[in-house]
Amino acid sequence: MKKQYLLQKNKEYRKIYQQGFSLANRFVVVFCLPNNFTYRRFGFSIGKKIGKAVQRNKVKRRLKAVCRENKQWFKDGYDYILIARKGINNQPFLKVQESVENLTYRINKKLTREING
């Protein structure tokens, strides 16, 4: 994933946490906020409750792969932060992918509801 499509500054993360909305399921929390770009940007947060550095990096790589392979799930012009929850490191890749797909479906449904009134 190119750096252009990643959130890098703490200020950007804080803005999304404060002004955006979130949806969650058993393994992942997704925060979402409109941005001023024509493309989508992603941020990933994997806390120390997930495990040691090797496990956290594995989870981060999996989440990045899900986002890269399934760009069509995410709307352009929005920033997304994916936060891993405890237990995600024991799940197979398809379960993680299914979990993110469910959340993005729910987010898109909520966004279209807000736009249409």
Side-chain angles (χ1 to χ4, degrees):
M1 192 171 288
K2 292 182 181 179
K3 282 189 178 182
Q4 173 186 6
Y5 303 119
L6 293 174
L7 298 169
Q8 295 180 334
K9 297 189 177 179
N10 186 25
K11 188 169 77 172
E12 296 171 333
Y13 277 86
R14 281 185 291 154
K15 181 180 178 185
I16 296 168
Y17 288 139
Q18 291 169 358
Q19 297 176 12
F21 67 92
S22 67
L23 289 174
N25 61 20
R26 176 95 172 86
F27 302 114
V28 183
V29 179
V30 177
F31 278 82
C32 180
L33 183 70
N35 63 25
N36 296 327
F37 303 108
T38 58
Y39 51 88
R40 59 189 82 80
R41 296 189 306 172
F42 296 99
F44 302 94
S45 179
I46 291 80
K48 290 192 176 184
K49 288 184 179 181
I50 302 299
K52 298 205 183 250
V54 173
Q55 294 167 327
R56 292 195 306 269
N57 287 332
K58 182 179 179 182
V59 169
K60 194 172 191 176
R61 282 194 312 271
R62 283 182 168 189
L63 288 174
K64 280 184 177 183
V66 167
C67 294
R68 187 176 54 249
E69 292 172 6
N70 303 292
K71 288 179 187 171
Q72 71 276 9
W73 294 348
F74 302 94
K75 289 190 173 194
D76 284 334
Y78 285 88
D79 290 335
Y80 297 93
I81 298 177
L82 283 77
I83 303 172
R85 283 187 160 177
K86 198 171 185 178
I88 193 171
N89 54 336
N90 301 326
Q91 300 303 314
F93 180 78
L94 289 176
K95 186 76 174 177
V96 174
Q97 186 172 3
E98 198 176 281
S99 184
V100 173
E101 179 181 18
N102 176 273
L103 281 175
T104 55
Y105 171 77
R106 288 171 46 205
I107 284 175
N108 290 335
K109 196 173 175 182
K110 186 173 182 174
L111 289 173
T112 53
R113 213 177 313 127
E114 287 178 3
I115 291 169
N116 294 335

